[in-house]
Amino acid sequence: MTSTPGSAGPTAGTTHPPSEKDPKARRFSRAERWVHRATAFLMLLCVATAACLYLPELAELVGRRYLVVTLHEWSGLLLPVPFLLGLASRAFRTDLGRLNRFGRHDRQWLAAVRRRLHGPAHRPAGKFNAGQKIFAAWIAGAVLVMLGTGLLMWFTHLTPLVWRTSATFVHDWLALTVGIVIAGHIGMAVADPEARRGMRTGSVERPWARREHPLWDPDRD
């Protein structure tokens, strides 16, 4: 092969290596993060106002019972709204489909948790692990039950006394359970800063993704 004039110059034959893979993996879209934040805010407002209504010490400290009741009622009524608005996002709908699918690897993940086994080989997970799927399903069901029983307690003239009494019993005890579950959820988030970063910024480090969600391929997401 013959050379052309100037082919031996300093720039001749210069090649550029292929761009390296981004060290961060995209985990959540902006719409998903806003749905999570809005839902978390309304849920925490519900729990906080409920505590002020049922704990005498907090009730005396806060006062303004009518305002607290109003905040509790409307935050509960608005709780499904972020979810419904999020359905306009394709990424949100896709992740809902993932959360609703429970496969063999999820059963393996739960078995590993019971046996206290750690590591990707013992706890295979896609974008969401089995624990996250169970939490999402439980909290969605709890919100619907809380909304239904809350409406029965709100519109007292529409239902018989026995319905209102039963609704109050279910609402109060489920509220306590929701508070405990949310406290556990927050505790697990505090223990995993990379998971928090993913929900805050939308991206996570690839080594974390490979370790915690080995079956998830963020490049095909």
Side-chain angles (χ1 to χ4, degrees), residues 83-93:
F83 172 87
L84 296 175
L85 293 177
L87 293 176
S89 166
R90 184 177 182 179
F92 183 71
R93 295 195 305 271

Side-chain angles (χ1 to χ4, degrees), residues 79-153:
L79 201 50
V81 172
F83 172 87
L84 296 175
L85 293 177
L87 293 176
S89 166
R90 184 177 182 179
F92 183 71
R93 295 195 305 271
T94 299
D95 277 350
L96 279 181
R98 291 190 176 102
L99 284 168
N100 286 329
R101 288 194 293 270
F102 208 86
R104 180 179 300 176
H105 63 278
D106 294 308
R107 290 189 288 272
Q108 182 180 344
W109 190 94
L110 291 173
V113 170
R114 289 195 301 268
R115 296 161 60 187
R116 298 186 180 181
L117 299 175
H118 299 273
H122 298 294
R123 298 189 182 187
K127 188 172 185 180
F128 303 102
N129 61 44
Q132 292 168 326
K133 293 178 180 181
I134 292 173
F135 172 80
W138 188 90
I139 206 70
V143 167
L144 291 177
V145 174
M146 294 293 287
L147 181 61
T149 54
L151 288 173
L152 289 176
M153 296 164 61

Side-chain angles (χ1 to χ4, degrees), residues 8-106:
T11 60
T14 302
T15 58
H16 298 280
S19 59
E20 295 183 359
K21 187 179 292 186
D22 191 336
K24 290 187 177 297
R26 189 70 174 171
R27 185 157 175 81
F28 295 115
S29 68
R30 180 176 297 179
E32 290 177 289
R33 301 198 306 274
W34 276 107
V35 169
H36 184 270
R37 290 168 187 170
T39 302
F41 172 77
L42 291 171
M43 183 67 77
L44 291 175
L45 185 58
C46 279
V47 172
T49 50
C52 292
L53 291 173
Y54 285 96
L55 297 178
E57 297 81 6
L58 288 178
E60 292 178 4
L61 180 64
V62 174
R64 298 181 177 272
R65 182 177 177 83
Y66 178 78
L67 176 61
V68 174
V69 170
T70 302
L71 286 174
H72 184 75
E73 291 173 342
W74 282 101
S75 59
L77 194 63
L78 293 174
L79 201 50
V81 172
F83 172 87
L84 296 175
L85 293 177
L87 293 176
S89 166
R90 184 177 182 179
F92 183 71
R93 295 195 305 271
T94 299
D95 277 350
L96 279 181
R98 291 190 176 102
L99 284 168
N100 286 329
R101 288 194 293 270
F102 208 86
R104 180 179 300 176
H105 63 278
D106 294 308

